[in-house]
């Protein structure tokens, strides 16, 4: 992961042109105070992945599954149950 030790932005792991080809229902959970991945990244994915849902958690950083474990687990369980 070049750049991380030098303070550069995180590399993009998925080619943007492939996002519209994702066929599975997709759930994005983003912490409002995340300083690792910008909220704009999730907004971009939301706009480009068909059948995508984004949940923004207030007072939450990068580790939503730890910082808001109960809510995170409920969101994931509900998403799986309904998709």
């Amino acid at each position: 992961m070049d750049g991380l030790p030098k303070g550069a932005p995180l590399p993009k792991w998925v080619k943007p042109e492939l996002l519209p080809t994702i066929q599975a229902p997709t759930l994005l959970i983003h912490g409002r105070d995340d300083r690792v991945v910008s909220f704009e990244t999730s907004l971009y994915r939301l706009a480009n992945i068909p059948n995508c849902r984004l949940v923004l958690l207030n007072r939450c950083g990068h580790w939503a599954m730890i910082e808001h474990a109960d809510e995170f687990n409920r969101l994931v369980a509900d998403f799986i149950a309904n998709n």
Side-chain angles (χ1 to χ4, degrees):
M1 294 188 14
D2 292 333
L4 290 177
K6 301 171 191 158
L10 289 170
K12 290 187 178 180
W13 297 320
V14 176
K15 294 178 182 178
E17 62 271 12
L18 294 179
L19 294 176
T21 69
I22 295 173
Q23 295 180 8
T26 304
L27 173 65
L28 305 174
I29 300 174
H30 196 104
R32 183 181 178 277
D33 302 319
D34 191 333
R35 293 198 263 170
V36 177
V37 178
S38 71
F39 183 54
E40 290 78 15
T41 299
S42 288
L43 287 175
Y44 180 83
R45 291 178 180 161
L46 176 67
N48 288 280
I49 298 173
N51 198 14
C52 184
R53 177 176 181 216
L54 171 61
V55 176
L56 177 66
L57 297 179
N58 199 22
R59 296 183 181 160
C60 182
H62 187 66
W63 300 102
M65 70 293 285
I66 296 169
E67 297 174 51
H68 293 273
D70 291 340
E71 186 171 8
F72 181 91
N73 290 333
R74 181 186 55 78
L75 288 166
V76 172
D78 288 349
F79 184 80
I80 291 171
N82 293 300
N83 289 284

mmCIF file of all heavy atoms in Angstrom, residues 49-75:
data_model
loop_
_atom_site.group_PDB
_atom_site.id
_atom_site.type_symbol
_atom_site.label_atom_id
_atom_site.label_comp_id
_atom_site.label_asym_id
_atom_site.label_seq_id
_atom_site.Cartn_x
_atom_site.Cartn_y
_atom_site.Cartn_z
ATOM 1 N N ILE A 49 -23.312 2.441 -7.408
ATOM 2 C CA ILE A 49 -23.630 1.024 -7.243
ATOM 3 C C ILE A 49 -25.155 0.881 -7.257
ATOM 4 O O ILE A 49 -25.840 1.472 -6.416
ATOM 5 C CB ILE A 49 -23.066 0.464 -5.916
ATOM 6 C CG1 ILE A 49 -21.538 0.565 -5.884
ATOM 7 C CG2 ILE A 49 -23.509 -0.991 -5.733
ATOM 8 C CD1 ILE A 49 -20.929 0.184 -4.538
ATOM 9 N N PRO A 50 -25.682 0.122 -8.202
ATOM 10 C CA PRO A 50 -27.134 -0.090 -8.220
ATOM 11 C C PRO A 50 -27.579 -0.821 -6.947
ATOM 12 O O PRO A 50 -26.827 -1.608 -6.383
ATOM 13 C CB PRO A 50 -27.358 -0.983 -9.443
ATOM 14 C CG PRO A 50 -26.093 -0.934 -10.228
ATOM 15 C CD PRO A 50 -24.995 -0.586 -9.273
ATOM 16 N N ASN A 51 -28.788 -0.561 -6.510
ATOM 17 C CA ASN A 51 -29.354 -1.234 -5.338
ATOM 18 C C ASN A 51 -28.434 -1.122 -4.123
ATOM 19 O O ASN A 51 -28.101 -2.110 -3.475
ATOM 20 C CB ASN A 51 -29.668 -2.701 -5.646
ATOM 21 C CG ASN A 51 -30.626 -3.303 -4.649
ATOM 22 O OD1 ASN A 51 -31.274 -2.606 -3.868
ATOM 23 N ND2 ASN A 51 -30.718 -4.622 -4.667
ATOM 24 N N CYS A 52 -28.026 0.103 -3.834
ATOM 25 C CA CYS A 52 -27.095 0.378 -2.750
ATOM 26 C C CYS A 52 -27.785 1.235 -1.689
ATOM 27 O O CYS A 52 -28.575 2.125 -2.018
ATOM 28 C CB CYS A 52 -25.871 1.108 -3.306
ATOM 29 S SG CYS A 52 -24.585 1.406 -2.089
ATOM 30 N N ARG A 53 -27.475 0.975 -0.441
ATOM 31 C CA ARG A 53 -28.003 1.758 0.683
ATOM 32 C C ARG A 53 -26.827 2.235 1.517
ATOM 33 O O ARG A 53 -25.891 1.481 1.786
ATOM 34 C CB ARG A 53 -28.925 0.890 1.529
ATOM 35 C CG ARG A 53 -29.452 1.612 2.739
ATOM 36 C CD ARG A 53 -30.444 0.766 3.500
ATOM 37 N NE ARG A 53 -30.904 1.549 4.637
ATOM 38 C CZ ARG A 53 -31.184 1.034 5.814
ATOM 39 N NH1 ARG A 53 -31.073 -0.258 6.002
ATOM 40 N NH2 ARG A 53 -31.583 1.815 6.791
ATOM 41 N N LEU A 54 -26.885 3.491 1.965
ATOM 42 C CA LEU A 54 -25.838 4.072 2.801
ATOM 43 C C LEU A 54 -26.443 4.500 4.123
ATOM 44 O O LEU A 54 -27.465 5.192 4.152
ATOM 45 C CB LEU A 54 -25.196 5.280 2.104
ATOM 46 C CG LEU A 54 -24.221 6.124 2.930
ATOM 47 C CD1 LEU A 54 -23.020 5.310 3.397
ATOM 48 C CD2 LEU A 54 -23.770 7.340 2.124
ATOM 49 N N VAL A 55 -25.812 4.099 5.215
ATOM 50 C CA VAL A 55 -26.213 4.529 6.552
ATOM 51 C C VAL A 55 -25.042 5.305 7.145
ATOM 52 O O VAL A 55 -23.913 4.807 7.192
ATOM 53 C CB VAL A 55 -26.562 3.325 7.457
ATOM 54 C CG1 VAL A 55 -26.886 3.799 8.868
ATOM 55 C CG2 VAL A 55 -27.712 2.531 6.864
ATOM 56 N N LEU A 56 -25.321 6.522 7.585
ATOM 57 C CA LEU A 56 -24.315 7.376 8.225
ATOM 58 C C LEU A 56 -24.547 7.333 9.727
ATOM 59 O O LEU A 56 -25.647 7.634 10.202
ATOM 60 C CB LEU A 56 -24.437 8.813 7.704
ATOM 61 C CG LEU A 56 -23.493 9.831 8.331
ATOM 62 C CD1 LEU A 56 -22.048 9.511 7.965
ATOM 63 C CD2 LEU A 56 -23.869 11.232 7.867
ATOM 64 N N LEU A 57 -23.518 6.951 10.477
ATOM 65 C CA LEU A 57 -23.623 6.883 11.927
ATOM 66 C C LEU A 57 -22.972 8.122 12.534
ATOM 67 O O LEU A 57 -21.787 8.386 12.305
ATOM 68 C CB LEU A 57 -22.952 5.621 12.463
ATOM 69 C CG LEU A 57 -23.556 4.299 12.006
ATOM 70 C CD1 LEU A 57 -22.774 3.131 12.587
ATOM 71 C CD2 LEU A 57 -25.016 4.201 12.399
ATOM 72 N N ASN A 58 -23.745 8.858 13.308
ATOM 73 C CA ASN A 58 -23.254 10.059 13.973
ATOM 74 C C ASN A 58 -22.354 9.668 15.142
ATOM 75 O O ASN A 58 -22.509 8.600 15.730
ATOM 76 C CB ASN A 58 -24.450 10.887 14.464
ATOM 77 C CG ASN A 58 -24.088 12.315 14.739
ATOM 78 O OD1 ASN A 58 -23.112 12.836 14.219
ATOM 79 N ND2 ASN A 58 -24.887 12.973 15.551
ATOM 80 N N ARG A 59 -21.413 10.540 15.479
ATOM 81 C CA ARG A 59 -20.467 10.295 16.577
ATOM 82 C C ARG A 59 -19.781 8.952 16.427
ATOM 83 O O ARG A 59 -19.724 8.137 17.352
ATOM 84 C CB ARG A 59 -21.167 10.410 17.924
ATOM 85 C CG ARG A 59 -21.688 11.794 18.179
ATOM 86 C CD ARG A 59 -22.300 11.915 19.529
ATOM 87 N NE ARG A 59 -22.788 13.296 19.673
ATOM 88 C CZ ARG A 59 -23.684 13.670 20.524
ATOM 89 N NH1 ARG A 59 -24.207 12.790 21.344
ATOM 90 N NH2 ARG A 59 -24.069 14.929 20.590
ATOM 91 N N CYS A 60 -19.288 8.710 15.233
ATOM 92 C CA CYS A 60 -18.653 7.432 14.909
ATOM 93 C C CYS A 60 -17.474 7.690 13.989
ATOM 94 O O CYS A 60 -17.581 8.451 13.032
ATOM 95 C CB CYS A 60 -19.674 6.517 14.237
ATOM 96 S SG CYS A 60 -19.030 4.891 13.830
ATOM 97 N N GLY A 61 -16.357 7.044 14.289
ATOM 98 C CA GLY A 61 -15.176 7.157 13.445
ATOM 99 C C GLY A 61 -15.107 6.024 12.437
ATOM 100 O O GLY A 61 -16.121 5.590 11.881
ATOM 101 N N HIS A 62 -13.909 5.501 12.240
ATOM 102 C CA HIS A 62 -13.661 4.493 11.211
ATOM 103 C C HIS A 62 -14.137 3.093 11.615
ATOM 104 O O HIS A 62 -14.375 2.254 10.759
ATOM 105 C CB HIS A 62 -12.167 4.465 10.897
ATOM 106 C CG HIS A 62 -11.803 3.596 9.750
ATOM 107 N ND1 HIS A 62 -12.191 3.870 8.461
ATOM 108 C CD2 HIS A 62 -11.098 2.436 9.696
ATOM 109 C CE1 HIS A 62 -11.722 2.931 7.650
ATOM 110 N NE2 HIS A 62 -11.061 2.045 8.376
ATOM 111 N N TRP A 63 -14.266 2.835 12.900
ATOM 112 C CA TRP A 63 -14.553 1.481 13.371
ATOM 113 C C TRP A 63 -16.005 1.342 13.819
ATOM 114 O O TRP A 63 -16.292 1.041 14.971
ATOM 115 C CB TRP A 63 -13.594 1.110 14.503
ATOM 116 C CG TRP A 63 -12.183 1.152 14.052
ATOM 117 C CD1 TRP A 63 -11.272 2.144 14.300
ATOM 118 C CD2 TRP A 63 -11.523 0.205 13.235
ATOM 119 N NE1 TRP A 63 -10.092 1.861 13.696
ATOM 120 C CE2 TRP A 63 -10.198 0.672 13.022
ATOM 121 C CE3 TRP A 63 -11.904 -0.997 12.638
ATOM 122 C CZ2 TRP A 63 -9.283 -0.030 12.260
ATOM 123 C CZ3 TRP A 63 -10.981 -1.687 11.876
ATOM 124 C CH2 TRP A 63 -9.688 -1.201 11.701
ATOM 125 N N ALA A 64 -16.931 1.521 12.903
ATOM 126 C CA ALA A 64 -18.366 1.468 13.219
ATOM 127 C C ALA A 64 -18.749 0.149 13.882
ATOM 128 O O ALA A 64 -19.570 0.133 14.799
ATOM 129 C CB ALA A 64 -19.191 1.682 11.951
ATOM 130 N N MET A 65 -18.160 -0.943 13.453
ATOM 131 C CA MET A 65 -18.521 -2.249 13.997
ATOM 132 C C MET A 65 -18.094 -2.418 15.448
ATOM 133 O O MET A 65 -18.637 -3.263 16.155
ATOM 134 C CB MET A 65 -17.951 -3.382 13.130
ATOM 135 C CG MET A 65 -16.443 -3.542 13.199
ATOM 136 S SD MET A 65 -15.463 -2.201 12.495
ATOM 137 C CE MET A 65 -15.634 -2.454 10.785
ATOM 138 N N ILE A 66 -17.181 -1.552 15.906
ATOM 139 C CA ILE A 66 -16.741 -1.584 17.302
ATOM 140 C C ILE A 66 -17.387 -0.439 18.086
ATOM 141 O O ILE A 66 -17.901 -0.631 19.185
ATOM 142 C CB ILE A 66 -15.201 -1.491 17.382
ATOM 143 C CG1 ILE A 66 -14.577 -2.723 16.734
ATOM 144 C CG2 ILE A 66 -14.736 -1.323 18.828
ATOM 145 C CD1 ILE A 66 -13.085 -2.626 16.519
ATOM 146 N N GLU A 67 -17.375 0.749 17.498
ATOM 147 C CA GLU A 67 -17.881 1.942 18.175
ATOM 148 C C GLU A 67 -19.396 1.910 18.394
ATOM 149 O O GLU A 67 -19.900 2.476 19.359
ATOM 150 C CB GLU A 67 -17.499 3.190 17.383
ATOM 151 C CG GLU A 67 -15.998 3.411 17.291
ATOM 152 C CD GLU A 67 -15.640 4.566 16.389
ATOM 153 O OE1 GLU A 67 -16.192 5.665 16.557
ATOM 154 O OE2 GLU A 67 -14.798 4.355 15.477
ATOM 155 N N HIS A 68 -20.117 1.290 17.481
ATOM 156 C CA HIS A 68 -21.580 1.186 17.563
ATOM 157 C C HIS A 68 -21.988 -0.248 17.243
ATOM 158 O O HIS A 68 -22.789 -0.490 16.339
ATOM 159 C CB HIS A 68 -22.237 2.161 16.581
ATOM 160 C CG HIS A 68 -22.016 3.589 16.920
ATOM 161 N ND1 HIS A 68 -22.842 4.278 17.776
ATOM 162 C CD2 HIS A 68 -21.039 4.450 16.552
ATOM 163 C CE1 HIS A 68 -22.399 5.526 17.892
ATOM 164 N NE2 HIS A 68 -21.307 5.648 17.166
ATOM 165 N N ALA A 69 -21.423 -1.181 17.997
ATOM 166 C CA ALA A 69 -21.578 -2.605 17.680
ATOM 167 C C ALA A 69 -23.035 -3.045 17.601
ATOM 168 O O ALA A 69 -23.421 -3.742 16.653
ATOM 169 C CB ALA A 69 -20.825 -3.451 18.702
ATOM 170 N N ASP A 70 -23.861 -2.657 18.560
ATOM 171 C CA ASP A 70 -25.264 -3.102 18.550
ATOM 172 C C ASP A 70 -26.004 -2.589 17.318
ATOM 173 O O ASP A 70 -26.715 -3.339 16.642
ATOM 174 C CB ASP A 70 -25.989 -2.652 19.818
ATOM 175 C CG ASP A 70 -25.493 -3.378 21.064
ATOM 176 O OD1 ASP A 70 -24.887 -4.465 20.922
ATOM 177 O OD2 ASP A 70 -25.712 -2.862 22.170
ATOM 178 N N GLU A 71 -25.844 -1.305 17.018
ATOM 179 C CA GLU A 71 -26.524 -0.731 15.855
ATOM 180 C C GLU A 71 -25.988 -1.316 14.559
ATOM 181 O O GLU A 71 -26.739 -1.634 13.644
ATOM 182 C CB GLU A 71 -26.389 0.794 15.850
ATOM 183 C CG GLU A 71 -27.182 1.445 14.751
ATOM 184 C CD GLU A 71 -27.226 2.956 14.866
ATOM 185 O OE1 GLU A 71 -26.524 3.537 15.709
ATOM 186 O OE2 GLU A 71 -27.982 3.549 14.077
ATOM 187 N N PHE A 72 -24.663 -1.470 14.476
ATOM 188 C CA PHE A 72 -24.034 -2.063 13.301
ATOM 189 C C PHE A 72 -24.593 -3.460 13.058
ATOM 190 O O PHE A 72 -25.014 -3.788 11.942
ATOM 191 C CB PHE A 72 -22.516 -2.104 13.489
ATOM 192 C CG PHE A 72 -21.774 -2.672 12.325
ATOM 193 C CD1 PHE A 72 -21.308 -1.843 11.313
ATOM 194 C CD2 PHE A 72 -21.531 -4.035 12.229
ATOM 195 C CE1 PHE A 72 -20.617 -2.369 10.225
ATOM 196 C CE2 PHE A 72 -20.846 -4.567 11.146
ATOM 197 C CZ PHE A 72 -20.387 -3.725 10.150
ATOM 198 N N ASN A 73 -24.619 -4.282 14.096
ATOM 199 C CA ASN A 73 -25.112 -5.653 13.951
ATOM 200 C C ASN A 73 -26.579 -5.679 13.555
ATOM 201 O O ASN A 73 -26.990 -6.509 12.739
ATOM 202 C CB ASN A 73 -24.880 -6.434 15.242
ATOM 203 C CG ASN A 73 -23.412 -6.716 15.480
ATOM 204 O OD1 ASN A 73 -22.617 -6.797 14.551
ATOM 205 N ND2 ASN A 73 -23.042 -6.854 16.741
ATOM 206 N N ARG A 74 -27.388 -4.786 14.125
ATOM 207 C CA ARG A 74 -28.804 -4.710 13.754
ATOM 208 C C ARG A 74 -28.960 -4.330 12.290
ATOM 209 O O ARG A 74 -29.755 -4.931 11.560
ATOM 210 C CB ARG A 74 -29.534 -3.695 14.633
ATOM 211 C CG ARG A 74 -31.015 -3.599 14.315
ATOM 212 C CD ARG A 74 -31.712 -2.481 15.078
ATOM 213 N NE ARG A 74 -31.108 -1.174 14.889
ATOM 214 C CZ ARG A 74 -31.265 -0.399 13.808
ATOM 215 N NH1 ARG A 74 -31.987 -0.820 12.790
ATOM 216 N NH2 ARG A 74 -30.690 0.784 13.731
ATOM 217 N N LEU A 75 -28.180 -3.321 11.841
ATOM 218 C CA LEU A 75 -28.255 -2.886 10.441
ATOM 219 C C LEU A 75 -27.894 -4.026 9.488
ATOM 220 O O LEU A 75 -28.578 -4.252 8.492
ATOM 221 C CB LEU A 75 -27.327 -1.695 10.199
ATOM 222 C CG LEU A 75 -27.759 -0.367 10.795
ATOM 223 C CD1 LEU A 75 -26.596 0.627 10.790
ATOM 224 C CD2 LEU A 75 -28.945 0.196 10.031
#
